[in-house]
Amino acid sequence: MEDFKQTIQHDEHSSEAITSELGVTGHRDSREERFSFKSLFRKVDNQAFFTEALEKYGKDGSIDPVAEKRLVRKLDYLILPCLSICYCFYYVDKTTLSYAAIFGIKSKATGLDLVGTQYSWLSSIFYFGWLIWAIPSNLLLQRFPPGTYLAFNIFMWGALLMCQAASTKFAHLAALRLLSGAFEAIADPAFMLFTSMFYTRAEQPNRISFWYSANGVGTAVGGLLGYAIGHIHGDLASWRYEFIIIGCICATWALVLLVILPNSPATSVFLTRDERLMAVARLRKNQTGIENRKFKMSQLIEAALDVKTWLFLLLGFVGNIPNGGISNFSTLIIKGLGFDTLNTALLAIPQGALVIFWIGTGALLNHRLPKNSRTLVCMIFMIPTIAGTLGFLLAPEHANIGRLICFYMTGSYQTTFVLSLSLITSNTGGQTKKMILAATIWLGACIGNIAGPFFYKTSQAPTYRLGIGSMLVANCLEVLIILILRIIFIRANKAKERRAAELQAEAEAGHSKPLPEENDTAFSDMTDKENINFRYVY
């Protein structure tokens, strides 16, 4: 305890040294950082800033509720639009192949003459790149300024997408899809990291739901872009224009993101110094830390031995078998219901709108229900998905409108996955462990997205009964995993309460040191298992 206090004890000299490194001068409470491109790429030790934040706002009631509400609103205006636009591009980028399929990329006359399972391989190979680079990319995210690293990767999404327009055969496009997957591996873990760095655990589900709902926006935007691009009659095939236009917009956005997305609440140039102190201090109750660039082997070992890690891996897998199919075959399924190419593109708009509706409704319900209802909401929103899947399988083949409505219902599973992500950001302490668990669920997601397309057999087009059946099985397994996680979180909290009571009794008897206070462990980079003040939310 004493050793820990000594490590975070405020030292005026070191504080001045860090202040000098940040490039600021003047009185401590009135200093303002100026924007510098160098600040986008250099690593800064913010420990002295965290200590100062706890000194000023580290006690309960020290932050004015009105000021905090104003700060959260400012963070929402700054962080959420950035992450939402990124996620929109993230989904549009992944589904360009789906629209390319209805614009002739598979044909010999206007495309790459794809035969057999080559289209399924193009869908899956993207996630092989993601699988290979997921863990290394997450470790790089911990080493480099996260906003800068994310912007670089997004620029590469756009650049590689434009390169795909030049593909002349399957091998060319497969190689570029592999690289695209590698650069996209950082997306979801980075978005989760930013959410946990700027928001309290109670605020995180709604914020994750907000930026994840851009998935639906991306679906709708992809449909509109597909419809518009379908009317271009130039020297190139329509699917090539799609890759060029979307890639160019994506790369341009990355340059904007490089300037406006802060790397940390402690270094944001869009907040006043006092707002930055408040932004840091109010996260002390999370007990998950904010940032730490040092890789800790002990946390890696703990993550590997934690049963929750493997359950999140499995959750990512079964939760994305449906996604792997829908993101690449949805246009083919809808077109198979009797719609022409352009109308198929337009029908993606209500599909995207429903995704926004499902996620928004789930976030609202989670907010209104009593504390620790997240896993219950997750299970509730699997019901429409399972019902829609059964309806699509059992409805007569001539009932095209009914089957289309059932297909739209299957999108509710995304609400469950969104809230599952918040279970990681809210229930993982220690920066290295947090990066590992974030990578783990997306590693599972990667494998699920690789497997998903192969359930959609060309011989079963356009009904794809095996593919829809795989969704049903995966959805049922997802409910079971979430139920197991809920039980584990409840039992772990009870065990922590018993242990805290035992330590408190020993301290009162003079046999041990007093229990650490919340401020002592708030930014200590302890894991959720190590931190006696940590409690799981479920």
Side-chain angles (χ1 to χ4, degrees):
M1 180 67 188
E2 290 298 320
D3 291 340
F4 172 73
K5 285 185 175 180
Q6 288 174 8
T7 62
I8 67 166
Q9 186 178 17
H10 180 66
D11 184 301
E12 196 66 31
H13 177 72
S14 63
S15 178
E16 290 173 2
I18 292 172
T19 300
S20 176
E21 183 182 0
L22 287 170
V24 295
T25 59
H27 190 269
R28 193 166 84 174
D29 291 333
S30 62
R31 292 180 302 213
E32 297 298 335
E33 281 77 6
R34 295 180 179 178
F35 174 77
S36 167
F37 278 101
K38 291 182 179 179
S39 67
L40 297 174
F41 305 100
R42 66 184 174 193
K43 295 181 291 183
V44 177
D45 182 2
N46 291 311
Q47 187 59 58
F49 189 91
F50 297 157
T51 304
E52 182 184 343
L54 291 178
E55 287 176 353
K56 187 169 184 179
Y57 292 115
K59 295 180 180 179
D60 291 339
S62 58
I63 298 178
D64 176 40
V66 175
E68 184 176 14
K69 186 176 181 180
R70 185 166 55 247
L71 171 63
V72 172
R73 189 184 304 116
K74 192 170 183 178
L75 290 174
D76 286 343
Y77 289 150
L78 173 63
I79 303 299
L80 294 184
C82 288
L83 298 186
S84 297
I85 295 173
C86 289
Y87 213 83
C88 180
F89 278 118
Y90 178 48
Y91 194 78
V92 170
D93 187 24
K94 287 192 296 184
T95 56
T96 47
L97 184 65
S98 177
Y99 288 101
I102 62 173
F103 284 132
I105 195 173
K106 297 170 69 175
S107 73
K108 185 175 183 179
T110 60
L112 305 183
D113 190 21
L114 302 178
V115 296
T117 60
Q118 285 185 328
Y119 179 76
S120 293
W121 272 111
L122 286 176
S123 305
S124 294
I125 202 167
F126 176 93
Y127 294 99
F128 276 105
W130 193 356
L131 182 65
I132 293 167
W133 196 240
I135 297 294
S137 194
N138 271 268
L139 296 178
L140 289 172
L141 179 64
Q142 186 179 6
R143 292 287 297 173
F144 293 101
T148 303
Y149 186 63
L150 178 62
F152 165 74
N153 279 270
I154 292 176
F155 181 83
M156 293 305 300
W157 302 354
L160 288 167
L161 202 58
M162 288 186 281
C163 289
Q164 289 175 43
S167 300
T168 57
K169 56 184 179 180
F170 168 78
H172 295 163
L173 188 55
L176 290 168
R177 293 273 298 170
L178 181 73
L179 289 174
S180 292
F183 282 105
E184 291 204 13
I186 198 57
D188 291 287
F191 300 157
M192 292 164 64
L193 174 64
F194 276 101
T195 306
S196 66
M197 280 201 305
F198 285 89
Y199 294 102
T200 66
R201 294 202 292 179
E203 296 163 349
Q204 287 171 17
N206 284 354
R207 271 64 187 185
I208 291 177
S209 297
F210 187 94
W211 55 254
Y212 198 97
S213 65
N215 191 338
V217 177
T219 302
V221 168
L224 284 171
L225 285 173
Y227 183 79
I229 292 169
H231 285 85
I232 297 177
H233 302 291
D235 296 332
L236 302 176
S238 295
W239 63 268
R240 296 187 189 274
Y241 284 113
E242 182 184 12
F243 285 136
I244 293 170
I245 293 170
I246 295 175
C248 182
I249 298 172
C250 184
T252 303
W253 164 246
L255 298 177
V256 176
L257 188 72
L258 179 66
V259 177
I260 65 176
L261 183 64
N263 288 307
S264 163
T267 59
S268 173
V269 297
F270 297 99
L271 301 176
T272 66
R273 181 171 183 79
D274 196 59
E275 286 174 334
R276 290 196 297 276
L277 291 169
M278 197 185 307
V280 168
R282 73 189 201 92
L283 301 182
R284 65 189 178 89
K285 289 186 178 294
N286 284 3
Q287 295 292 315
T288 57
I290 294 183
E291 61 175 338
N292 189 298
R293 302 193 189 280
K294 182 179 179 182
F295 176 83
K296 294 185 178 180
M297 182 59 68
S298 61
Q299 293 190 14
L300 172 60
I301 294 172
E302 180 179 313
L305 298 177
D306 192 336
V307 66
K308 297 189 296 296
T309 302
W310 302 103
L311 284 171
F312 279 121
L313 175 69
L314 189 57
L315 181 64
F317 172 65
V318 300
N320 281 272
I321 286 177
N323 186 69
I326 289 175
S327 62
N328 293 288
F329 285 85
S330 62
T331 55
L332 296 175
I333 292 172
I334 293 174
K335 190 174 183 179
L337 294 175
F339 301 99
D340 63 27
T341 298
L342 292 178
N343 282 328
T344 296
L346 286 178
L347 284 171
I349 297 173
Q351 183 183 5
L354 278 171
V355 169
I356 298 171
F357 168 78
W358 292 125
I359 295 176
T361 305
L364 180 63
L365 184 61
N366 178 71
H367 180 68
R368 294 293 177 86
L369 288 176
K371 184 181 178 182
N372 290 327
S373 297
R374 292 188 202 184
T375 48
L376 297 178
V377 176
C378 285
M379 290 184 278
I380 289 171
F381 274 82
M382 291 305 298
I383 295 173
T385 289
I386 293 172
T389 305
L390 282 171
F392 193 91
L393 285 172
L394 300 177
E397 289 194 13
H398 64 271
N400 290 338
I401 300 301
R403 294 174 72 210
L404 178 64
I405 293 171
C406 288
F407 183 70
Y408 283 159
M409 287 177 64
T410 62
S412 71
Y413 78 92
Q414 300 209 41
T415 303
T416 300
F417 195 68
V418 168
L419 293 177
S420 299
L421 297 180
S422 76
L423 292 176
I424 291 183
T425 59
S426 299
N427 288 321
T428 310
Q431 194 72 1
T432 299
K433 186 178 181 182
K434 195 184 299 181
M435 292 294 96
I436 295 298
L437 257 74
T440 296
I441 192 170
W442 293 111
L443 194 64
C446 204
I447 300 171
N449 277 294
I450 288 172
F454 288 98
F455 289 104
Y456 292 78
K457 303 291 186 181
T458 304
S459 59
Q460 295 183 350
T463 58
Y464 297 108
R465 293 185 66 82
L466 179 62
I468 303 299
S470 71
M471 289 176 59
L472 180 61
V473 174
N475 292 335
C476 293
L477 289 173
E478 191 170 354
V479 173
L480 179 61
I481 295 168
I482 291 168
L483 179 60
I484 293 172
L485 281 169
R486 180 177 178 84
I487 294 170
I488 288 174
F489 288 139
I490 291 173
R491 295 183 63 181
N493 277 353
K494 290 180 178 178
K496 276 182 172 285
E497 293 290 351
R498 289 195 299 269
R499 180 57 179 161
E502 291 170 1
L503 292 175
Q504 184 64 33
E506 291 177 6
E508 290 175 355
H511 299 312
S512 67
K513 296 177 181 179
L515 285 175
E517 296 179 358
E518 283 189 344
N519 284 358
D520 295 331
T521 56
F523 305 128
S524 59
D525 198 38
M526 299 171 70
T527 67
D528 48 285
K529 287 192 171 184
E530 295 169 339
N531 189 347
I532 194 63
N533 290 322
F534 188 94
R535 296 295 182 272
Y536 296 99
V537 294
Y538 49 86

